[in-house]
Every structure is written in structure tokens, then in C-alpha cells.
């Protein structure tokens, strides 16, 4: 199986599992999954979030996802328990399709790392 096909299959598994768990089967998009990862990383699963906090959660999700790629590094938790990251390397200029592939790969790796998919 090619690397691209393996990523595609694993991505579909992630979307399916998360969609069944959180949306009664309605398919989640990549932004929703990044948001869920941010919520997981902050650890405030049952909290209600304001609009600006939702944006912050997506930022946490992106930082956590791109940390293994050397773009971010965990720095500290603030007094409210939110993780903060420092930039290690600027993200490269990627075309929209390349960004999507990078994020999908990072999401799949996150769920593999946490044994949520195989």
C-alpha cells in the first residue's frame, strides 16, 4: 500500500471514529478535529468556551500537532491550566493542498501516538 493510500485510509478512520463519537455520525471536518484536539490538550472537556477561547483551542491543537515536526515546543502551563508553546521554526509557505496533507498526517500521527487508531 502506498504512503498516500495509507494516510487516506487512516484519515478516514479518524474522521469516522470521531464523527461517531461526537456528532452522531455527521462527518467532522479538519477544523473541528483540530478544535477537539485543542480541547483534549487543555483538558477542560466539559467546559463551555467563548468564541476567542475556541480560537485559542484551535491554536493549541495546531501547536500540539506540529510539535513533533519541530515547529513548536511546549513551554509552560499558565495559571488557568492552558498550555503555551514557543515557535521553534517558522512554518514553510505551503499551498492549500500541502497544508491539508501536513495537518491530516499530523492528526493521524496524534491519534496513532495516543493509540486511538491503528
Amino acid at each position: 500500500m502506498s504512503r498516500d493510500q495509507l494516510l487516506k485510509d487512516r484519515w478516514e478512520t479518524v474522521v469516522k471514529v470521531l464523527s461517531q463519537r461526537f456528532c452522531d455520525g455527521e462527518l467532522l471536518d479538519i477544523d473541528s478535529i483540530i478544535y477537539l484536539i485543542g480541547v483534549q490538550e487543555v483538558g477542560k472537556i466539559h467546559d463551555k468556551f467563548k468564541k476567542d477561547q475556541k480560537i485559542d483551542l484551535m491554536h493549541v491543537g495546531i501547536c500540539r500537532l506540529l510539535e513533533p515536526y519541530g515547529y513548536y515546543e511546549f513551554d509552560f502551563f499558565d495559571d488557568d491550566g492552558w498550555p503555551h508553546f514557543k515557535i521553534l521554526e517558522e512554518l514553510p509557505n505551503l499551498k492549500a493542498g500541502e497544508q491539508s496533507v501536513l495537518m491530516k498526517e499530523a492528526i493521524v500521527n496524534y491519534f496513532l501516538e495516543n493509540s486511538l487508531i491503528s
Side-chain angles (χ1 to χ4, degrees), residues 5 9 14 20 42 48 52 55 77 81 89 94 99 110 117:
Q5 186 61 47
D9 292 348
V14 167
Q20 288 174 342
V42 170
K48 295 277 186 190
D52 60 328
I55 293 168
F77 287 104
E89 183 180 328
L94 300 172
Q99 285 178 353
Y110 177 87
I117 65 165

Side-chain angles (χ1 to χ4, degrees), residues 87-105:
I87 298 172
L88 295 180
E89 183 180 328
E90 292 294 323
L91 290 169
N93 290 325
L94 300 172
K95 296 176 186 169
E98 293 170 329
Q99 285 178 353
S100 179
V101 169
L102 173 63
M103 293 311 296
K104 287 178 180 180
E105 178 181 79

Side-chain angles (χ1 to χ4, degrees), residues 3-116:
R3 182 175 180 245
D4 291 343
Q5 186 61 47
L6 183 60
L7 175 59
K8 182 179 183 290
D9 292 348
R10 286 179 169 167
W11 171 251
E12 289 172 358
T13 299
V14 167
V15 171
K16 181 181 175 185
V17 168
L18 293 176
S19 296
Q20 288 174 342
R21 181 162 183 192
F22 294 104
C23 293
D24 295 325
E26 182 180 327
L27 293 181
L28 291 169
D29 63 13
I30 193 167
D31 291 333
S32 300
I33 294 171
I34 291 169
Y35 171 79
L36 287 173
I37 291 168
V39 171
Q40 172 70 26
E41 291 297 315
V42 170
K44 298 177 187 263
I45 307 295
H46 301 290
D47 287 8
K48 295 277 186 190
F49 297 103
K50 297 176 185 170
K51 185 177 182 179
D52 60 328
Q53 290 176 311
K54 290 178 182 178
I55 293 168
D56 290 341
L57 286 165
M58 291 191 71
H59 177 72
V60 168
I62 289 167
C63 290
R64 175 59 184 88
L65 289 168
L66 296 179
E67 187 178 21
Y69 293 83
Y71 295 112
Y72 295 95
E73 179 179 76
F74 172 77
D75 196 13
F76 66 95
F77 287 104
D78 66 19
D79 293 338
D80 294 323
W82 285 64
H84 289 261
F85 295 81
K86 59 184 174 183
I87 298 172
L88 295 180
E89 183 180 328
E90 292 294 323
L91 290 169
N93 290 325
L94 300 172
K95 296 176 186 169
E98 293 170 329
Q99 285 178 353
S100 179
V101 169
L102 173 63
M103 293 311 296
K104 287 178 180 180
E105 178 181 79
I107 289 167
V108 164
N109 288 336
Y110 177 87
F111 286 102
L112 285 169
E113 199 178 281
N114 291 290
S115 301
L116 298 171

